[in-house]
């Protein structure tokens, strides 16, 4: 009696094993990639945020800032950190309270193009005018008879540092403002102050906060 030969399975092709190993490698790479993304998102770095509104030309000190640990990724270098803040740096634009401080918002004191002056207005100012507000300053000259002339824009763009109201004066509410103005407007502003021109401030419409 003849015994039939035992049927043996065909050997697995090499390309099938390679495809299996490649699939395993892709799964491992995918898991590692997801882990790296999650780990990177959890990494934080210390950067500065404004503790109060900082106006252009103001020297930026530690009292004006607070440190926040935030996850910024590759954008971290675009913000001021405790390691990158130079002593004596000044604000080059308004930095509002709570805003992270961009590198472009501070600069060297020697490059400053603004200065601050204090003015008194002819009447009250809008409640919308607060520290950091952008305003226009208008002036109306006073003639020898005490009559006001035609008002004109004295400073087209100024930034308010502080608003002080004195409700106790007899003539009504007295308002003084410390404002930051371009150095090019200083001479005209001082002239208006010296000749008792009537000054008013008007909020710049649509100024973003």
């Amino acid at each position: 009696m003849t015994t039939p030969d035992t049927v043996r399975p065909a050997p697995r092709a090499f390309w099938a094993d390679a495809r299996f190993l490649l699939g395993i490698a892709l799964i491992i790479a995918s898991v590692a990639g997801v882990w790296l993304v999650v780990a990177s998102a959890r990494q934080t770095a210390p950067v500065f945020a404004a503790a109060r509104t900082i106006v252009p030309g103001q020297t930026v000190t530690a009292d004006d800032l607070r440190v926040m640990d935030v996850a910024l990724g590759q954008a971290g270098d675009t913000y001021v950190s405790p390691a990158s803040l130079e002593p004596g740096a000044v604000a080059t634009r308004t930095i509002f309270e709570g805003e992270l401080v961009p590198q472009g918002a501070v600069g060297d004191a020697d490059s400053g193009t603004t200065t601050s002056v204090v003015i008194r207005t002819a009447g009250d100012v809008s409640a919308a005018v607060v520290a950091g507000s952008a305003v226009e300053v208008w002036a109306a000259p006073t003639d020898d008879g005490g009559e006001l002339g035609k008002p004109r824009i004295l400073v087209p763009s100024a930034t308010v540092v502080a608003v002080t109201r004195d409700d106790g004066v007899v003539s009504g509410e007295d308002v003084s403002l410390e404002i930051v103005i371009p150095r090019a407007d200083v001479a005209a502003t001082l002239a208006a102050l010296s000749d008792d021109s009537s000054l008013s401030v008007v909020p710049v419409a649509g100024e973003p906060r």
Side-chain angles (χ1 to χ4, degrees):
M1 182 174 181
T2 303
T3 303
D5 295 335
T6 302
V7 178
R8 296 180 179 179
R12 182 185 296 272
F14 173 76
W15 65 267
D17 291 334
R19 186 170 60 181
F20 173 76
L21 294 176
L22 179 60
I24 295 296
L26 289 174
I27 292 174
I28 293 174
S30 177
V31 172
V34 172
W35 181 84
L36 288 174
V37 170
V38 173
S40 176
R42 289 179 177 175
Q43 290 181 349
T44 61
V47 295
F48 281 127
R52 58 179 65 88
T53 297
I54 305 170
V55 297
Q58 179 180 335
T59 300
V60 180
T61 67
D63 292 337
D64 303 313
L65 305 169
R66 65 173 183 267
V67 178
M68 298 184 64
D69 289 320
V70 293
L72 295 173
Q74 296 181 348
D77 292 340
T78 62
Y79 293 92
V80 178
S81 68
S84 65
L85 181 65
E86 296 291 339
V90 299
T92 57
R93 68 162 177 83
T94 301
I95 308 169
F96 290 100
E97 181 178 353
E99 179 185 353
L100 297 182
V101 182
Q103 292 284 359
V106 297
D108 191 284
D110 294 336
S111 62
T113 59
T114 60
T115 190
S116 61
V117 296
V118 176
I119 65 171
R120 289 187 178 276
T121 61
D124 196 8
V125 298
S126 169
V129 176
V130 295
S133 295
V135 296
E136 296 174 342
V137 180
W138 287 70
T142 304
D143 61 22
D144 294 337
E147 296 294 328
L148 293 178
K150 182 178 180 180
R152 62 181 178 85
I153 293 180
L154 181 65
V155 182
S157 179
T159 303
V160 176
V161 178
V163 181
T164 303
R165 289 179 169 86
D166 185 359
D167 297 321
V169 296
V170 176
S171 59
E173 193 169 55
D174 189 19
V175 183
S176 64
L177 298 94
E178 182 180 357
I179 57 175
V180 175
I181 63 174
R183 291 187 181 276
D185 294 326
V186 170
T189 301
L190 295 179
L193 292 173
S194 65
D195 65 13
D196 294 328
S197 291
S198 177
L199 302 180
S200 303
V201 295
V202 179
V204 175
E207 178 68 14
R209 179 180 170 85

